Amino acid sequence: MKQRLAAARERARALLNSLSLAEKIGQMVQFSGERDRLSADLAAEIRAGRVGAVLNVVEPAAIEEIQRVARDESPHGIPLLIGRDVVHGFSIVGPIPLGQAATFDEDLVRAGARVAAAEAAETGINWTFAPMLDVCRDPRWGRIAECFGEDVLLTSRMGAAMVRGFQEDPATPLLSCPKHFAGYGASESGRDYNRTYIPEIELRNVYLPPFMAALEAGALSLMPSFSDLNGVPATANRWLLRNVLRQEWNFQGFVVSDWAAIAQLIDHGVAGNLTEATALALAAGINMDMSSHAYCEHISGLLERGQIDVAVIDGLVEEILAVKYALGLFEPVRSTRKQHDTINESIRVARALALQSVVLLKNECNVLPIDFAEAGKVALLGPLADQPYEQLGTWVFDADADMSVSVRQALCDRLGKRLLYAPVLANSRDQNTDGFDAARALVAESEFAIVVLGEESILSGEAHCRADITLPGAQQQLLEAISRIGTPVVVIIMAGRPLLLQNVLPFADALLFSFHPGSMGGPALAELLAGDSSPSGRLPVSFPRVVGQIPIYYDQGNTGRPATASTMMAIDEIPPQAPQYSTGNTSYHLDQPPSPQFAFGFGLTYTRFVYENLRIIRSFLPGSTSLEVAVDLLNAGDRSGIEVVQLYIRDLVASVTRPVKQLKDWRRVALAAGSRTTVRFVVERETLAFYNGVDWVVEPGEFEIWIGPDSQTTLSVITELPA
Ligand code: GLC
């Protein structure tokens, strides 16, 4: 699509010159329509050439009518962009993006976007507001569910994979729209829409790279965030949208505001009215106004008063038209028939994504997997055990909950009457403990208890932030109530964010964490419980022990006083009248260890992998652009498994402080029991680059390289990058 843009610009310019001012402004306007019909009012606006895009219309017949009116009855027959939040699937959904990140499998995530595009495009939708690329280190924020976690590289690669998946099939292209540009994931106190203060060095090293990767992958539209970046809302941020996006990055696509974000400049307090807000958004380079009614009502007045030049409007409209040409909207209309195999392909990919997204966090005495053929009765409890809708997660406007398969449905197939099911709680927030006695009785007569707990989907996603990220309702009490009976307890947690597990773990013999797994969550979890497949998910985000540790993430700074075992004193060890300096003056909390409950990259399998013999195969030589490093990996267990081998690097001495570790590559490696392999990585010199406050640099010196199973790995080697 991107390679067609140059030719498209020519055609766009020619068309632009024939448009009236009202039609030019029309291209900059996006209205929200009704899901299944074209209203007379909207039809009239389209017929007059005053609409460039709609969103939230999904019924194929309504979309076909919209495009027919636009093509056949408007002055220049310009087709509309039909936008929709196709974020992690369409009628069949995969795990929420945070769960898709846990797969560490770009190809699979790309396949998920491709099938979502195929399904959506068959309805006539041609634009999705995805991928969401906000790096986030604060699980209180509800939108962590929509992102790919805390790491820059993982977010960058997953975002690029989604862009390619959405756009690559010429038969069903879905224009992608990376969002929310930029730094939205740093909303203060994890409260949505809140301010963000991000120094430029942090912005460029952490929050901007995923958007660069998405644009390099071919994204041609982009959405700024609602949030205020260092005092200037992104929607009016000329530095961000003109200096960085257009001048530095030479972005040739168009920018659409978020929902009513132009009007919200008034609430931010940077515009006194919608006219001023319109002027600010135009000056920042917002091409299209999503549902603020700012552009359609205020641009012409600004032009008449000479407050803006028509050349600005022409430039913004040309960019929109060029993308429409590049997307193929002016080509002959293709039939949008429902293909049966699209749904089957969606189900296949959704199941693979769900399977690889689940993270095994605990498996005491290898209580998992369970041999369901030999097992006696199995108690299945919990408010999320049979919730086909809730397991879909956030942003599932078009999902077909009837196609979603719950854990209970999947286990029924395997256990029949041996499955003893009780939800016990009506939903994840239910405080009613009346069902606990019956639950205890079921557990007492069962060989295993499987408890599916967590968050309903409404508890994460946009505007759904939580200050207390423990299990809601009486779920903790339920777990404690059934754990004293002696039956092995397997806990499955479905949630849209990391939850505090400090008080859950003592009552779980095994724990599978499933970021809302989507339509095929049930069959995938059943497959893992039965051992048909071994868990291979790895955490894309750190799990704090308590909320007080937030923000907590692996690629933090070392500080001038790093905490070590010998420099810390736990709060309960402090003697009475302890002298001020006796607790060790290093960077830690007296009441919690400095480490997370579970680290980025962590995940168990049903086998045991051993890393040995980490070595530099080929070091950086003067003039060489890469080094090669290798490690031997052994599957020392009695089952096959998949290991996500992770490579981390630290720049030991640099002109500015650098993270103690940074993920620089990973590899999913399947190994049969008892077998061994060598895993090699080539580290390109440019991957060591960082922004030092002035420019992007690669500085010579010593680097420490780790290869291991997660971000807490200690197997490392030092290498030198010569000047
Ligand atoms: C929402 C979200 C954005 C979404 C848009 C359209 O408020 O912030 O992510 O794409 O509106 O639904």
Side-chain angles (χ1 to χ4, degrees), residues 86 101 198 357 683 715:
V86 183
I198 309 172
S357 70
V683 177
L715 183 62

Side-chain angles (χ1 to χ4, degrees), residues 249-272:
W249 295 1
N250 190 30
F251 177 57
Q252 298 292 309
F254 72 87
V255 177
V256 60
S257 75
D258 201 338
W259 182 278
I262 295 175
Q264 289 159 19
L265 294 176
I266 300 167
D267 303 281
H268 275 290
V270 295

Side-chain angles (χ1 to χ4, degrees), residues 30 55-56 84-85 87 128-130 132 143 146 177 179-180 184 192-193 223-226 257-260 264 290 395 397 462:
Q30 178 177 37
L55 75 156
N56 298 332
R84 186 63 164 173
D85 291 284
V87 176
T128 178
F129 307 117
M132 193 269 215
R143 303 200 78 164
E146 304 170 49
C177 183
K179 68 186 184 182
H180 306 80
Y184 187 22
D192 206 358
Y193 314 122
M223 183 189 291
S225 64
F226 286 125
S257 75
D258 201 338
W259 182 278
Q264 289 159 19
M290 181 191 285
W395 287 113
F397 291 161
E462 183 176 350

